[in-house]
Amino acid sequence: NQEEDMSQQSETENFQIACDLLRSTSPRQTLWAARNVALKLEEMVKSPQQSARETLPSVLSVSLRCLLDKPVTNTFLLHTYVLQSIYYLTLIYAHPAHAVFISCTSSTTTTALSETDIFQLNFLDDAVPTPSLDVAYPPMIVQPLSVDGTSATNDGSLNTARTP
């Protein structure tokens, strides 16, 4: 049991390191980080745990979005991993009533569609009977990052009080 806890802690630390390295200037580190983040997010989407939102860094989506601005080099691997990660983040953060999965296969049979999926599939232009956005997505509260004991306040001025 202790080995499982250490393994889980090691995976969490590796994920945090990968999230930090997304902002690296080294192309190899950035590619490694993007790959690890994409694999971990895929694992989170496929696992039945619902607490994935709480373990994600608050600046992860911003870091991924900034990587899309990097020039495309010989391979498209970096952009592929980044787009996969953004897709998985969308699945993690989207309200279940707002997610619609439509198969792109040529099969004419539909498999186990929910009532919401059927409504959205057949009446896509109509208003969908889902929870309001205020209820489904509570507002995010983002605190400014502190730098050397100073932190920005809501009005943009600096607070120079030292934090313990």
Side-chain angles (χ1 to χ4, degrees), residues 8-9 17 39 106 119 130 137 148 152 154 162:
Q8 182 72 17
Q9 183 179 7
I17 290 170
L39 292 175
S106 61
F119 186 88
T130 59
Y137 305 104
D148 297 331
N154 286 340
R162 295 277 175 188

Side-chain angles (χ1 to χ4, degrees), residues 142-147 149-161 163:
V142 178
Q143 297 295 326
L145 300 174
S146 64
V147 178
T150 62
S151 63
T153 60
N154 286 340
D155 61 1
S157 62
L158 288 179
N159 178 10
T160 57
T163 55

